[in-house]
Amino acid sequence: MKQMLFLVPLIGLAGLLFAVFLRLYVIRQDPGNDKMREIADAIAEGARAFLTSEYRILVVFVAILFVVIGLGTRSWVTAGCFLVGSIFSTIAGYLGMSAAIRANCRTANAARTSGMRQALSLAFSGGSVMGMAVVGLGLMGVGALYIITKDVSVLSGFSLGASSIALFARVGGGIYTKAADVGADLVGKVEAGIPEDDPRNPAVIADNVGDNVGDVAGMGADLFESYVGSLISALTLGLVFYQESGILFPLLLSASGIVASIIGALLVKAIGNSDPHKALKTGEYSATALVVICALVLSRTFFGNYLAALTIITGLFVGVLIGFVTEIYTSGDYRFVKKVAAQSETGSATTIISGLAVGMQSTAVPILLVCIGILISNRLMGLYGIALAAVGMLSTTGITVAIDAYGPIADNAGGIAEMAGLDKSVREITDKLDSVGNTTAAIGKGFAIGSAALTALALFVSYAEAVKLTTIDILNAHVIIGLFIGGMLTFLFSAMTMESVSKAAHQMIEEVRRQFREDSGILKGTSRPDYASCVSISTNAALKEMFLPGLMAVLAPLATGLILGPDALGGLLTGALITGVLMAIFMSNSGGAWDNAKKYIEEGNHGGKGSTAHKAAVVGDTVGDPFKDTSGPSINILIKLMTIVSLVFAPMFLQYGGLL
Amino acid sequence: MKQMLFLVPLIGLAGLLFAVFLRLYVIRQDPGNDKMREIADAIAEGARAFLTSEYRILVVFVAILFVVIGLGTRSWVTAGCFLVGSIFSTIAGYLGMSAAIRANCRTANAARTSGMRQALSLAFSGGSVMGMAVVGLGLMGVGALYIITKDVSVLSGFSLGASSIALFARVGGGIYTKAADVGADLVGKVEAGIPEDDPRNPAVIADNVGDNVGDVAGMGADLFESYVGSLISALTLGLVFYQESGILFPLLLSASGIVASIIGALLVKAIGNSDPHKALKTGEYSATALVVICALVLSRTFFGNYLAALTIITGLFVGVLIGFVTEIYTSGDYRFVKKVAAQSETGSATTIISGLAVGMQSTAVPILLVCIGILISNRLMGLYGIALAAVGMLSTTGITVAIDAYGPIADNAGGIAEMAGLDKSVREITDKLDSVGNTTAAIGKGFAIGSAALTALALFVSYAEAVKLTTIDILNAHVIIGLFIGGMLTFLFSAMTMESVSKAAHQMIEEVRRQFREDSGILKGTSRPDYASCVSISTNAALKEMFLPGLMAVLAPLATGLILGPDALGGLLTGALITGVLMAIFMSNSGGAWDNAKKYIEEGNHGGKGSTAHKAAVVGDTVGDPFKDTSGPSINILIKLMTIVSLVFAPMFLQYGGLL
């Protein structure tokens, strides 16, 4: 049995090699004509410049935190694991993004020369690099470090590495992409009246870069940390309650998930035809079915019953159901988005009110689903069961991320087709791919939210184990204070990230206006706009603005643990978990509802494009941008990062915590 | 010592008599000319019609709940206390509002005939009826019922009566006032271009009625339940930790607060001159100083030290400081509102984003202040100390409510002056009174928020005592589920109340448009609009829409306690407390910031009235209306009501709770 442990990093490595192989496959394809290559190069250059600058800052941050961890926990092995975690997260982000920025023009070219099937295959391969890199590096890292150290407690360092990089990638990427998006839309589309992705818009390259750094690299880092965090909390609790079996089961289940994801990905490419939606769904469902079978076998092998498999299935189900609910609240096919669209007829105030109400209302069912998931998995296997449900939900991360990352690639391909002046039929294919991506992405979002809740909860339980708290008592005044502060931090964090987007977008608006004003040839199409200055505004703003929220996420739990003690810190983590999950669902779904209400009107309802209703809906969409793409998803990481910081520094709080 | 207990209901009675005396004083004044009387009568009629219909529904609700309490807790004494609580709350609301709807035209007339001093005296006397009725009836009820029953545990019934009426009054009143306000503004001011309070606007009477039922009756019921709730939690915990002294101290302190409020109110009237701001501040500060002195004497008498007095002072300080912070975030004199106003230059989307960000950010300092209050009062006297801090914060409720209720009276007086075509100098006086009211109201809001947090917390601790939970363990899966559900309920409740305002406003908009369309004489000023139909739209919508959120607040804790057990219910109350306080601060302050950003622009900044910035700011203000006047303040009651329901039904949960 124990030898099977060595399988774990090997299968992780296999996943990584599959990612590398797909990346080579993408690169070998024809990048298209000169014009397309020129645009793609500009996007690639901007994306690389951002990542390089971001990594340069993160090196300093990681170095400082490395020393703090070493000194604070007196375990340089933990600090070493932290280092490996941050490096692995960085590599995953880099690999995934470098494939995405190459897949975009090649997807456009495939749509031009070979049609839908080849375009789908390319876009999906590009996305799969991110997906497989995430799970491959994640499982390889956890597995190898466990084999080397034989110590579960130091692994939390690896998770902290993943979480720190994820927070900066999500916040930085989110600010980048929305500053560019809002800037490009408000001046280009609204003021100058030129269409989306028009090459005359100086912010258009920055906007496309944003899709890559925000929706690909940021999202990949997010799921890398969820994946790693859920695994490590399962190992921590598994060791306490079920010894060796408690460790082997989640590791081997995740390994089977990687194999299932590879098979699912190959299926997508094999059956890819005129119906990309069917291909993606088939791939995802096949992977899920394979994981379920493996879970049953592994559960029987390690525990002699099927309870562990049932927790895995519970996690998978809850994830899928949250995805469905998310779609119901945010897709134009259902009544909620239609209501927001209808309210746009009486102006932007009613659009905003109804969008906010839909977002708040949409928290109810996902929260109940999470509660049911907790109730069932806890009944089946106690607190360890909750961690397993999270592992189950994330077992198909390989293909979920692939489908998520495929969307922005198709979106970018459409942008390149537009800017390079390709035939309309090309744009039609990429639009089709993009719209399918939007639908399937809802399910991805469901997984991201559900897994964040369960993972943070499992990590929180691990923290309690680590500081030897068998109970965290709500009637203790310190815990109450912690609860209030934790809840408040998510509101403060949301305010900070929204303000950052506001500020950055403002700079972008000024710059685009300046260019239009100073060179009238730009709008006539006779002069080339200065794309680079817009790219550098987004880059600088994102890097500058991501710092404070990131610092807060690390310092708040440290300060609380030291000043008020481990009990208060337990309260803080709980407060942040509850309000964080709610705020994340609320903000993501309000944003999604506004976005699709606008699209619904653009399809010709309520007067269509240019109508009063459309103008009101554009206001809603603009408010929704930082909601759904910056603040909302960043909160998911905030709550996990604060928990993992507490877990890593638990030994320090035990010794010095509670000055007050 | 024990005989002093009989002083308590007597001083309560004295407060009530003072209210009745002030009401007579108001009624004896000259209501002005025929035109003024006609308008005032229309407002009074609408307000009475609403209250009567509301009470008719509440009678049924109260009767049902009376039986449920009797059967559920098997204590018909508790059920009886519930009945008395709901009747007292109703009387307080009726007394206060019937004075307010008489004081409005008399204030306008005083401004016309005698000037500022007499106008201030009348408006403040009208507000004081509400304030003194609230504290008089509250203390009399608690004191008398304790003397009669000698049983603290049945008193929670009285508190539940107060809370149930408060929720319906706040939600119903909030929906009423905002439906009328939004309807009057959007069609009258924006579409038809007629000024505020113009008699040609069919919704203008409904708007003025709304000020009375929402800002006077609703707010009074809100503070009645806070006042009663904090007292009863202090008695419950006082008995546990300090026996007789633990009961006498908060009762006598509140009695001293009534005396102090009466003296403060008399001071306001005595020194009322050309500077109403100074008069109100002097009254409030004098009352506070008197309470502090009494607290020191009583603390020394009952506990032999000054610790109890220090908790009272802590509560008072935290309340005042939260008020100051609220003003900084929501007044046009400070940078936050100025920032929102500046963002209005780039359109309504940026106005909304920055207003939301300001609201979220504004949670930080009040939450830290509440935490410091908890930390200090808990250090001084344990969990009982937290309840005392709430009692301290609310000890000057008499004068706080008077100042709060004085605002809408001055506002109404201005409306009547406008509609009756009085001289501009009259409107100038009422505007001055109104603007002073807005500033001092910020402090009232601080008290409402701070006291809701501390009262709910103290009631929660009392609940734990009642179900004999010495610890509520966050690591218990049922508690975690409760936490999630509790948090989610505040989001769902906010969504519901916002939707209700939306729906009701929509009906109002249609009706005003219909009247303008069908009778062109209305806008010309030759035909009289049909005020009554607008009044009845607001009335019906409010009564219909208040039902579901109210039912949810009662049923959710009952269902959770029965199905998941008292532990899960403890989690639910905690989750609702944390997210509820945050959402209430966020929504109230975002709304306040938008409101004052609009006013700041109207003062001539960023282009003044009619500019693009102003249009964007109006959108912000409209979104802010349900935020600050319906959802935000209602959440304060929701969290207290759910806690008190749990406290009352605790015996039932102990016996039958936890089916799952």
Side-chain angles (χ1 to χ4, degrees), chain A residues 92 129-139 220-221 223-224 227-228 397 401:
Chain A
V129 175
M130 186 86 243
M132 298 315 300
V134 161
V135 291
L137 283 161
L139 191 65
L223 276 144
F224 183 76
Y227 186 77
V228 168
T397 296
V401 170

Side-chain angles (χ1 to χ4, degrees), chain A residues 279-603:
Chain A
L280 293 174
K281 288 257 165 180
T282 310
E284 188 160 26
Y285 290 154
S286 313
T288 306
L290 281 174
V291 167
V292 168
I293 294 168
C294 294
L296 291 168
V297 174
L298 289 169
S299 178
R300 175 92 202 164
T301 313
F302 286 105
F303 301 104
N305 57 42
Y306 294 112
L307 297 183
L310 289 175
T311 62
I312 298 292
I313 295 169
T314 304
L316 279 167
F317 252 94
V318 169
V320 171
L321 289 176
I322 295 179
F324 278 130
V325 175
T326 307
E327 206 184 329
I328 288 172
Y329 278 100
T330 58
S331 147
D333 297 338
Y334 299 93
R335 69 187 171 92
F336 298 101
V337 169
K338 283 182 183 155
K339 192 170 65 181
V340 175
Q343 289 283 352
S344 300
E345 291 209 350
T346 38
S348 44
T350 38
T351 313
I352 298 292
I353 292 178
S354 60
L356 290 170
V358 164
M360 289 179 185
Q361 198 184 341
S362 77
T363 58
V365 182
I367 288 290
L368 290 178
L369 287 169
V370 167
C371 287
I372 292 170
I374 293 172
L375 197 66
I376 295 177
S377 53
N378 180 64
R379 273 292 153 88
L380 292 169
M381 299 197 84
L383 295 170
Y384 177 58
I386 298 174
L388 283 189
V391 170
M393 200 183 274
L394 289 162
S395 55
T396 53
T397 296
I399 193 154
T400 313
V401 170
I403 293 173
D404 251 24
Y406 136 103
I409 293 175
D411 192 5
N412 251 259
I416 291 173
E418 189 80 32
M419 285 186 270
L422 299 187
D423 193 75
K424 274 206 168 159
S425 64
V426 176
R427 181 79 201 210
E428 269 161 28
I429 292 178
T430 60
D431 275 357
K432 179 90 199 275
L433 290 177
D434 189 17
S435 92
V436 169
N438 281 338
T439 319
T440 45
I443 296 187
K445 271 191 191 168
F447 277 90
I449 290 167
S451 68
L454 290 183
T455 303
L457 182 55
L459 285 171
F460 168 66
V461 176
S462 312
Y463 160 75
E465 273 301 324
V467 289
K468 296 178 182 60
L469 290 171
T470 49
T471 62
I472 298 179
D473 180 12
I474 305 185
L475 294 174
N476 173 332
H478 278 205
V479 175
I480 294 167
I481 293 171
L483 282 160
F484 272 118
I485 294 178
M488 176 268 278
L489 287 176
T490 63
F491 277 73
L492 193 57
F493 182 85
S494 306
M496 281 169 145
T497 45
M498 280 172 70
E499 281 279 316
S500 298
V501 173
S502 239
K503 261 195 260 175
H506 215 260
Q507 282 178 280
M508 187 67 79
I509 290 170
E510 295 297 323
E511 171 63 18
V512 176
R513 280 183 185 159
R514 185 194 64 78
Q515 291 199 23
F516 283 158
R517 197 173 54 233
E518 291 181 3
D519 184 352
S520 58
I522 294 179
L523 273 175
K524 288 184 201 131
T526 54
S527 341
R528 190 177 179 273
D530 182 2
Y531 299 126
S533 75
C534 290
V535 168
S536 90
I537 283 177
S538 255
T539 304
N540 293 332
L543 296 177
K544 197 180 135 216
E545 298 286 338
M546 75 181 185
F547 202 67
L548 203 60
L551 209 62
M552 188 186 90
V554 176
L555 289 186
L558 282 181
T560 306
L562 285 176
I563 297 173
L564 295 171
D567 274 304
L569 182 52
L572 180 145
L573 299 177
T574 312
L577 171 65
I578 305 299
T579 51
V581 171
L582 284 161
M583 287 291 277
I585 301 177
F586 155 50
M587 296 184 95
S588 300
N589 289 354
S590 279
W594 280 317
D595 186 9
N596 286 319
K598 188 195 70 175
K599 286 182 182 149
Y600 178 76
I601 291 176
E602 284 173 353
E603 284 163 13

